[in-house]
């Protein structure tokens, strides 16, 4: 996802989810293990935030993408983000 605020969003998301999950992050990368079967990793670059979602059950994919997108859009409400997930 293209944004000049990748590090800020990565840290906001990770801090938000650290209340529920055992999150690891720094300004450039983060990992949120939602469960034993689903986790997302973030990598912040100068003009983009890369998100990689890993799920054991493919039926979780869409729901988890929606959860991540929804939270990201709330934190980035000043931007019109184009979030694109690829296989």
């Amino acid at each position: 996802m293209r944004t000049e605020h990748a590090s800020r969003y990565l840290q906001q998301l990770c801090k938000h989810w650290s209340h529920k999950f055992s999150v690891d992050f720094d300004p450039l990368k983060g990992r949120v293990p939602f469960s034993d079967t689903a986790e997302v990793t973030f990598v912040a670059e100068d003009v983009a935030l890369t998100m990689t979602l890993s799920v054991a059950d493919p039926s979780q994919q869409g729901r988890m993408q929606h959860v991540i997108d929804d939270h990201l859009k709330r934190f980035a409400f000043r931007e019109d983000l184009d979030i694109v997930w690829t296989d």
Side-chain angles (χ1 to χ4, degrees):
M1 171 193 78
R2 297 191 61 74
T3 179
E4 293 184 11
H5 307 288
S7 179
R8 178 189 313 162
Y9 299 148
L10 177 157
Q11 292 177 75
Q12 285 178 303
L13 288 165
C14 288
K15 286 177 187 175
H16 174 76
W17 280 317
S18 70
H19 300 289
K20 286 185 167 184
F21 308 106
S22 181
V23 174
D24 297 313
F25 72 98
D26 62 34
L28 299 178
K29 62 186 179 316
R31 179 180 162 273
V32 180
F34 293 111
S35 69
D36 291 339
T37 61
E39 78 173 33
V40 65
T41 58
F42 300 101
V43 176
E45 299 171 28
D46 290 338
V47 295
L49 177 63
T50 300
M51 303 176 290
T52 304
L53 177 63
S54 301
V55 293
D57 181 354
S59 69
Q60 293 180 301
Q61 186 87 17
R63 185 176 75 72
M64 293 305 302
Q65 286 174 345
H66 177 73
V67 167
I68 296 164
D69 291 354
D70 184 57
H71 281 77
L72 185 54
K73 287 175 183 176
R74 279 191 257 156
F75 290 125
F77 65 91
R78 291 180 186 92
E79 272 189 84
D80 184 24
L81 298 177
D82 185 21
I83 302 170
V84 177
W85 293 93
T86 59
D87 293 335

